[in-house]
């Protein structure tokens, strides 16, 4: 039995893992932009980052001495989670061809609310009025921080982004189930391998391979894959400490960190409304994690 001190630290460990995950994943969009600017294209960057992610997780499994194989039920659960992950990525990537990236990100990040609602419906974490209000406040803060453009609201793009949000919700809940029968590394490897194979076959069939040129472009390609792989490992590891609902809600900081990375690396700037939106997101998440009237969150 764990000591009280160790048990008391577990929620904090979960929160820190999600924040580490958000920081790692936040690097991916800027790294991908560097690869695109160096001559790569979207299908190549998406496929290559999945391949890099799968290779890194495979190395971690080999280094840790874990088995690559899992039992039949775990394999089925990993496969389902991987399908939803691939569908979510395809939905988001497809949406940005029709609507601004900021709007696509905002729509996709409705998935923490979906995770909370589905978990509530299945008898998991309860979505109280207080939690719902704070989740909506965090979403409103994201809207201010991302400044989504309202022009050209193509229904196809909105539908694809919404599809990405639903798929992300399914992937999170299915991954939590898969980790009941396999380790975090094993689940991530099977998910990443499936996604890498799907996108690589798609890029090959479409004849769409176009790799970046120069060291910066290749570093961007590797950084996109490494950031995503490390981010997902940390995010899914947090499930054992705080559960998928709280982990998903805290992951709302990810777009904020992506903006800050873009400011630091690409020279983008933030306006007062964006800073205000970021502050609203942080305040809402802090209150979401704070104990309510009933005690512990």
């Amino acid at each position: 039995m764990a000591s009280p001190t160790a048990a008391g630290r577990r929620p904090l460990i979960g929160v820190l893992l999600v924040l580490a995950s958000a920081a790692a994943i936040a690097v991916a969009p800027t790294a991908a932009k560097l690869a695109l600017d160096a001559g790569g294209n979207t299908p190549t960057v998406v496929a290559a980052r999945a391949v890099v992610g799968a290779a890194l997780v495979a190395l971690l499994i080999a280094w840790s001495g874990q088995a690559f194989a899992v039992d039949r039920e775990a394999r089925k659960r990993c496969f389902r989670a991987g399908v939803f992950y691939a569908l979510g990525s395809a939905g988001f990537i497809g949406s940005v061809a029709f609507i601004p990236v900021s709007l696509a990100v905002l729509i996709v990040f409705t998935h923490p609310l979906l995770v909370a609602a589905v978990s509530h419906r299945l008898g998991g974490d309860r979505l109280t009025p207080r939690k719902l209000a704070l989740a909506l406040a965090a979403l409103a803060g994201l809207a201010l921080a991302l400044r989504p453009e309202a022009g050209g609201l193509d229904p196809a793009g909105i539908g694809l982004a919404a599809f990405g949000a639903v798929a992300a919700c399914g992937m999170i809940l299915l991954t939590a189930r898969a980790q009941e029968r396999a380790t975090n590394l094993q689940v991530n490897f099977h998910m990443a391998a499936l996604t890498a194979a799907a996108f690589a076959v798609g890029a090959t069939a479409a004849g769409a391979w176009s790799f970046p040129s120069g060291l910066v472009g290749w570093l961007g390609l590797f950084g996109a894959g490494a950031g995503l792989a490390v981010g997902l490992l940390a995010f899914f590891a947090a499930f054992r400490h705080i559960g998928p609902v709280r982990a998903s809600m805290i992951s709302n900081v990810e777009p904020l960190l992506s903006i800050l990375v873009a400011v630091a690396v690409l020279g983008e700037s933030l306006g007062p409304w964006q800073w205000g939106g970021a502050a609203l997101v942080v305040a809402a998440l802090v209150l979401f994690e704070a104990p309510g009237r009933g005690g512990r969150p």
Side-chain angles (χ1 to χ4, degrees):
M1 181 180 295
S3 67
T5 302
R9 287 179 179 175
R10 284 176 183 167
L12 177 59
I13 291 173
V15 171
L16 292 176
L17 282 169
V18 178
L19 293 178
S21 163
I25 294 177
V27 174
T30 299
K33 182 72 164 54
L34 294 175
L36 292 170
D37 289 346
N41 61 13
T42 299
T44 300
V45 171
V46 171
R49 76 175 186 176
V51 171
V52 169
L56 284 177
V57 177
L59 288 174
L60 287 172
I61 288 179
W63 176 76
S64 66
Q66 296 182 31
F68 285 89
V70 294
D71 64 51
R72 183 177 179 181
E73 180 59 29
R75 192 162 56 248
K76 286 164 57 177
R77 294 183 184 185
C78 291
F79 177 80
R80 293 174 192 143
V83 168
F84 273 81
Y85 175 51
L87 291 175
S89 298
F92 173 69
I93 294 161
S95 70
V96 299
F98 301 96
I99 58 176
V101 173
S102 56
L103 179 58
V105 171
L106 181 62
I107 294 173
V108 168
F109 264 83
T110 59
H111 76 262
L113 268 173
L114 296 178
V115 171
V118 173
S119 179
H120 176 90
R121 181 69 179 82
L122 296 177
D125 289 0
R126 311 309 296 169
L127 184 60
T128 64
R130 174 180 176 273
K131 288 183 177 180
L132 178 60
L134 290 172
L136 291 173
L139 189 61
L142 278 183
L144 290 174
L146 293 170
R147 292 189 309 175
E149 300 173 23
L153 298 183
D154 193 304
I158 293 174
L160 284 168
F163 177 77
V166 172
C169 170
M171 181 267 291
I172 289 169
L173 295 174
L174 287 168
T175 299
R177 286 206 66 208
Q179 288 190 136
E180 295 171 0
R181 299 187 66 92
T183 68
N184 184 23
L185 281 173
Q186 289 171 329
V187 173
N188 269 273
F189 172 73
H190 285 272
M191 283 179 53
L194 173 66
T195 305
F199 283 128
V201 169
T204 302
W209 290 105
S210 178
F211 291 97
S213 59
L215 178 61
V216 173
W218 280 98
L219 286 176
L221 202 64
F222 178 81
L228 194 63
V230 172
L232 290 178
L233 280 171
F235 180 66
F236 295 142
F239 288 6
R240 298 188 184 277
H241 301 287
I242 58 176
V245 173
R246 288 173 66 190
S248 299
M249 199 61 60
I250 298 170
S251 72
N252 275 298
V253 302
E254 179 192 314
L256 303 183
L257 294 178
S258 295
I259 293 172
L260 294 178
V261 172
V263 169
V265 178
L266 303 177
E268 297 182 8
S269 59
L270 297 181
W273 282 104
Q274 289 177 286
W275 285 113
L280 178 57
V281 172
V282 173
L285 294 180
V286 169
L287 290 173
F288 190 93
E289 280 297 295
R293 288 184 181 180
R296 306 181 75 170

